[in-house]
């Protein structure tokens, strides 16, 4: 069994297909421990990968001793227009209310997701895999977003 650290460090690499490659810092350096298509699963993949890497039970990797860094993906930038294309596996009506809506995205680095402001419903947090970063917006959608953002004091794009 390798030396068992007090803290575990993981880093996410954004893949071109919008999946998340999870790398854990081990005794021999950074190791790819898994890939997931869901931001919700990143921490689980990191914990399970760290446990395999260090040869211990997953329960030995305490959640509060796991640092996961999720950088801003290369395919998104602050202030750009996006379209919400998925609510994921959620069946909650609140999660589906903005499905198909256009919005303006800003990176929320701490959560590894995006703040997306949608005209009429406000701002919600969405993972990258739920967003289209190259949407085709109608002139009406752009005008409505600019009006809404102007009223809310946010800069338009």
């Amino acid at each position: 069994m390798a030396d068992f650290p007090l803290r575990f460090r993981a880093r996410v690499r954004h893949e071109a297909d919008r999946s998340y490659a999870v790398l854990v810092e081990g005794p021999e350096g950074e190791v790819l421990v898994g890939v997931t298509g869901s931001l919700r699963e990143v921490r689980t993949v990191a914990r399970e990968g760290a446990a395999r890497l260090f040869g211990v039970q997953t329960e030995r990797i305490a959640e509060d001793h796991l640092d996961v860094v999720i950088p801003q993906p290369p395919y998104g930038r602050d202030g750009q227009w996006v379209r919400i294309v998925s609510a994921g596996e959620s069946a909650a009506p609140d999660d589906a209310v903005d499905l198909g809506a256009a919005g303006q995205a800003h990176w929320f680095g701490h959560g590894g997701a995006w703040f997306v402001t949608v005209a009429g419903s406000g701002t919600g947090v969405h993972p990258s895999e739920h967003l289209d970063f190259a949407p085709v917006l109608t002139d009406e959608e752009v005008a409505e977003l600019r009006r809404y953002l102007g009223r809310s004091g946010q800069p338009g794009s």
Side-chain angles (χ1 to χ4, degrees), residues 64-88:
D64 57 344
H65 291 148
L66 177 65
D67 298 324
V68 179
V69 175
I70 305 174
Q72 183 171 337
Y75 47 77
R77 68 183 195 290
D78 275 347
Q80 82 174 82
W81 299 136
V82 297
R83 186 173 305 280
I84 300 169
V85 295
S86 175

Side-chain angles (χ1 to χ4, degrees), residues 49-121:
R52 283 192 313 275
L53 194 57
F54 289 95
V56 298
Q57 297 291 322
T58 304
E59 299 78 38
R60 297 264 327 263
I61 312 294
E63 183 66 29
D64 57 344
H65 291 148
L66 177 65
D67 298 324
V68 179
V69 175
I70 305 174
Q72 183 171 337
Y75 47 77
R77 68 183 195 290
D78 275 347
Q80 82 174 82
W81 299 136
V82 297
R83 186 173 305 280
I84 300 169
V85 295
S86 175
E89 298 172 12
S90 175
D94 287 350
D95 290 342
V97 72
D98 287 333
L99 195 56
Q104 184 180 43
H106 291 278
W107 181 243
F108 177 49
H110 178 72
W114 298 86
F115 284 121
V116 179
T117 302
V118 173
S121 64

Side-chain angles (χ1 to χ4, degrees), residues 11-23 32-43 45-46 68-75 107 111-114 126-131 133:
R11 179 179 66 87
V12 169
R13 184 179 67 216
H14 296 277
E15 300 296 313
D17 66 356
R18 299 281 173 84
S19 63
Y20 306 93
V22 181
L23 301 104
L32 175 66
V33 295
V35 177
T36 180
S38 172
L39 181 62
R40 290 180 187 206
E41 295 175 2
V42 164
R43 292 189 73 80
V45 171
V68 179
V69 175
I70 305 174
Q72 183 171 337
Y75 47 77
W107 181 243
W114 298 86
H126 298 274
S128 295
E129 73 265 20
H130 292 183
L131 302 174
F133 288 90

